[in-house]
Amino acid sequence: MRESQDIYDITLSVQEREVRGNRLLLSVISMTLREIFESHRDQSYFSFKNIDADALEMIIECSFKFSFQPLRITELNLENVLRTGINLGCRGILEEACRYIEKNTKLSNCMKYQRILWQFINDESCLTPADSSLLGIVLKYVTFFISKNFAAVSVTDCFKVANAPEVVSIIAIDDLNVKSEDVVLAAVRGWYKADPENHHLQYLQLLKHIRWPLLTKTCLEDASNDEAIWNCPDVQELIRKSFQYQLRDADNRGSINFGANFYLTPRRGMLHHHGHSHR
């Protein structure tokens, strides 16, 4: 169909590129374009911002083939395809991008996918409730993958370059699949060592999310010698109380006050590992 020049009746200008398409076919797959075309029936030239030209080319190709299968989604263009699909109200494009994420999530990119999904979900101005729900479902899948493979994910470059809020969102999960809390502390310390200059202030905040009393004695002793912790009285106090907690029997631990919102419950992944070890 696209080989016939008669099919083209509009021109879309994006990023200093002009792409020709068909008004009716694009209206079928893009809610946003349909509204624009209906509001400007006599106009045949349209200029857009915040749209990726390559992604738009793929969308036009899809419109001519009545299918979203021609989409050539890659790691490099995934974010642009998602953004273009959202900005143009192309539900089919969004669904294909989400399927790509679910199919290709792995250790080296799961943190990147989490960041991209959070970025779009938090920008509520450009999302319909239905699109937000779809991205939320995919985010849960990616988060489950990270939680299930946390020990391996935490040593990847993708984890080490993540920002502090992204790391917090992971280490706060009760379902982390770890053998012990030592793994979580090792992940946070590894994140800090990857970029001490820029991670220093956030590092001290992340340490407050560690469930210190659940660490092994060896890990506590090692952490107490961490130079970065020496200048953080709050964390030093947590370590001191954790030593006390471990020295007391279960009946006398309740008198140690770790403060509000501090978790003493083992992560469910730890319970799973310990359960298997007793069989």
Side-chain angles (χ1 to χ4, degrees), residues 161-221:
V161 299
N163 61 43
E166 290 169 354
V167 176
V168 167
S169 72
I170 298 302
I171 65 175
I173 295 175
D174 280 335
D175 288 332
L176 278 186
N177 184 32
V178 292
K179 292 182 178 180
S180 72
E181 191 69 13
D182 294 13
V183 176
V184 186
L185 178 58
V188 173
R189 296 182 73 181
W191 176 84
Y192 165 69
K193 292 176 182 178
D195 190 358
E197 183 177 352
N198 291 317
H199 287 175
H200 180 70
L201 293 178
Q202 296 95 330
Y203 176 52
L204 300 180
Q205 293 301 316
L206 290 179
L207 288 174
K208 295 178 182 179
H209 291 271
I210 300 297
R211 303 179 184 187
W212 291 93
L214 305 183
L215 295 169
T216 62
K217 181 180 179 181
T218 300
C219 191
L220 274 174
E221 291 174 344

Side-chain angles (χ1 to χ4, degrees), residues 63-267:
S63 74
F64 282 110
K65 295 186 176 181
F66 303 102
S67 169
F68 292 109
Q69 293 308 310
L71 275 177
R72 297 177 297 277
I73 302 177
T74 67
E75 290 291 303
L76 294 178
N77 70 13
L78 172 62
E79 191 168 354
N80 285 332
V81 170
L82 271 169
R83 181 177 292 104
T84 301
I86 290 171
N87 289 340
L88 291 183
C90 293
R91 175 73 177 192
I93 301 297
L94 199 59
E95 290 175 348
E96 284 299 313
C98 287
R99 273 192 281 270
Y100 177 89
I101 291 174
E102 291 181 335
K103 182 179 179 181
N104 293 279
T105 297
K106 51 190 176 184
L107 296 177
S108 61
N109 62 20
C110 56
M111 293 294 294
K112 172 188 173 183
Y113 287 173
Q114 184 200 46
R115 174 185 56 78
I116 291 173
L117 291 166
W118 266 122
Q119 173 183 319
F120 287 119
I121 290 173
N122 289 334
D123 186 8
E124 298 178 354
S125 62
C126 65
L127 275 182
T128 66
D131 289 347
S132 180
S133 176
L134 174 60
L135 294 182
I137 291 172
V138 180
L139 177 59
K140 287 181 180 179
Y141 172 82
V142 173
T143 302
F144 174 78
F145 178 92
I146 295 172
S147 174
K148 182 180 179 181
N149 301 281
F150 179 75
V153 170
S154 67
V155 297
T156 63
D157 292 338
C158 199
F159 182 87
K160 293 176 182 178
V161 299
N163 61 43
E166 290 169 354
V167 176
V168 167
S169 72
I170 298 302
I171 65 175
I173 295 175
D174 280 335
D175 288 332
L176 278 186
N177 184 32
V178 292
K179 292 182 178 180
S180 72
E181 191 69 13
D182 294 13
V183 176
V184 186
L185 178 58
V188 173
R189 296 182 73 181
W191 176 84
Y192 165 69
K193 292 176 182 178
D195 190 358
E197 183 177 352
N198 291 317
H199 287 175
H200 180 70
L201 293 178
Q202 296 95 330
Y203 176 52
L204 300 180
Q205 293 301 316
L206 290 179
L207 288 174
K208 295 178 182 179
H209 291 271
I210 300 297
R211 303 179 184 187
W212 291 93
L214 305 183
L215 295 169
T216 62
K217 181 180 179 181
T218 300
C219 191
L220 274 174
E221 291 174 344
D222 185 47
S224 66
N225 293 318
D226 186 335
E227 291 185 16
I229 293 177
W230 292 350
N231 296 321
C232 185
D234 290 345
V235 178
Q236 286 183 340
E237 182 66 5
L238 284 174
I239 294 175
R240 185 186 67 79
K241 289 181 177 180
S242 296
F243 277 122
Q244 291 181 347
Y245 182 90
Q246 294 187 1
L247 289 172
R248 297 185 183 185
D249 56 49
D251 293 334
N252 294 316
R253 288 173 174 173
S255 61
I256 302 177
N257 182 16
F258 284 95
N261 301 320
F262 190 87
Y263 287 92
L264 292 172
T265 305
R267 301 176 193 271

